[in-house]
Amino acid sequence: AQSVTQLGSHVSVSEGALVLLRCNYSSSVPPYLFWYVQYPNQGLQLLLKYTSAATLVKGINGFEAEFKKSETSFHLTKPSAHMSDAAEYFCAVSGTRNQFYFGTGTSLTVIP
Amino acid sequence: GAGVSQSPSNKVTEKGKDVELRCDPISGHTALYWYRQRLGQGLEFLIYFQGNSAPDKSGLPSDRFSAERTGESVSTLTIQRTQQEDSAVYLCASSVDGKGGYTFGSGTRLTVV
C-alpha cells in the first residue's frame, strides 16, 4: 500500500529565503510521486512529478524536488521564496492500479 | 475536452434537499477520483473509479453519498438529504494511468443552508 506523510502543516519563510516542504512516502512498489499546489480559492495544479527517470525533478515556478529512495523522501524546495508562492502544497503518491494518495497538505506563508 | 469539467461551479441548497454534482473527465482517462475539501482543510478521499472495475467506495462518509460512472465517461456524485456539514468544495480528478498525475477540475462549491 502507498501513503505519504507531510511534516509540518504550516511553514513560514521570509521572502527570498529557502523553501523546504517535507514529504515522506511509503510504497511497496516503485512509486510515482507528485507535488500539487493550491492557491487561495483555486483548484489544484500539478507542480512537478517523479516517474522513475531523473531523481531531481524540476517543476514550474522555480520549484524542484529530489527523490531519495534511501530516505523514502520527496522534499520540495525553492531557493528563494516569493510572495506569490504562498499557497497550500500537497504531496501525493501513485502506485499500482492508478490509486492515488494525498498528504494532508502544508500551508506555506511568505513573510515580506 | 481539454480539461476536467465540473458542474455546477457553485451550488446553494437547503438542508434536506438532494444534490447532484457532475464531473466530465478528460477523454480517454480511465481513472477518476472524487475528493471533498472542507474550508481550510486537506483533501478527503470519497470514491475512486478505475475503468470497468468495481469502484472503491471506502471514502464515502455515509449512505447519503453515492456516485456513478458509466464506462470511462461522466461521473455524478449524489448527496441525499444534505446536511450543513456537507458544505465543502467537491473536487474531481482524472488520469489516463496515474503515472503522469491527476488533472483536477475546478470543483463544485456546495453550500447547505
Side-chain angles (χ1 to χ4, degrees), chain B residues 25-39:
Chain B
I26 294 173
S27 179
H29 281 198
T30 62
L32 186 148
Y33 275 94
W34 282 98
Y35 290 93
R36 178 169 69 179
Q37 187 175 32
R38 290 194 168 111
L39 185 63

Side-chain angles (χ1 to χ4, degrees), chain A residues 32-34 36 38 41-46 49-51 88 90 94-105, chain B residues 30-31 33 35 37 41-43 48 50 53-54 56 91 95-106 109:
Chain A
Y32 300 110
L33 294 157
F34 310 88
Y36 282 82
Q38 185 178 33
N41 299 314
Q42 295 188 28
L44 275 83
Q45 179 182 2
L46 182 63
K49 62 186 179 186
Y50 165 76
T51 56
E88 188 86 15
F90 294 93
S94 177
T96 58
R97 298 180 60 233
N98 299 334
Q99 289 177 306
F100 203 55
Y101 301 92
F102 276 94
T104 53
Chain B
T30 62
Y33 275 94
Y35 290 93
Q37 187 175 32
Q41 298 187 22
L43 295 166
Y48 166 59
Q50 172 57 56
S53 302
D56 178 355
L91 293 165
S95 175
V96 63
D97 62 4
K99 297 178 184 178
Y102 277 72
T103 301
F104 280 82
S106 54
R109 183 176 299 276

Side-chain angles (χ1 to χ4, degrees), chain B residues 20-21 32-34 46-49 55-57 60 62-70 74-79:
Chain B
E20 190 172 278
L21 313 180
L32 186 148
Y33 275 94
W34 282 98
L46 295 178
I47 189 168
Y48 166 59
F49 295 91
D56 178 355
K57 304 180 181 180
L60 294 178
S62 77
D63 58 7
R64 295 188 295 106
F65 288 73
S66 63
E68 293 183 349
R69 186 184 188 198
T70 303
V74 171
S75 176
T76 55
L77 176 69
T78 301
I79 309 174

Side-chain angles (χ1 to χ4, degrees), chain A residues 41-103:
Chain A
N41 299 314
Q42 295 188 28
L44 275 83
Q45 179 182 2
L46 182 63
L47 200 54
L48 50 79
K49 62 186 179 186
Y50 165 76
T51 56
S52 75
T55 56
L56 182 62
V57 180
K58 295 187 183 297
I60 61 173
N61 301 337
F63 282 93
E64 62 183 36
E66 186 172 7
F67 172 71
K68 292 186 176 181
K69 184 178 180 180
S70 61
E71 299 177 7
T72 60
S73 68
F74 191 58
H75 301 331
L76 182 70
T77 60
K78 181 174 180 177
S80 176
H82 191 273
M83 295 299 294
S84 61
D85 294 328
E88 188 86 15
Y89 292 81
F90 294 93
C91 182
V93 62
S94 177
T96 58
R97 298 180 60 233
N98 299 334
Q99 289 177 306
F100 203 55
Y101 301 92
F102 276 94

Side-chain angles (χ1 to χ4, degrees), chain A residues 6-7 11 19-23 35 63 74-77 89 106-108:
Chain A
Q6 290 185 242
L7 300 175
V11 171
V19 176
L20 171 61
L21 305 182
R22 299 179 186 274
C23 174
W35 276 98
F63 282 93
F74 191 58
H75 301 331
L76 182 70
T77 60
Y89 292 81
T106 297
S107 177
L108 176 65

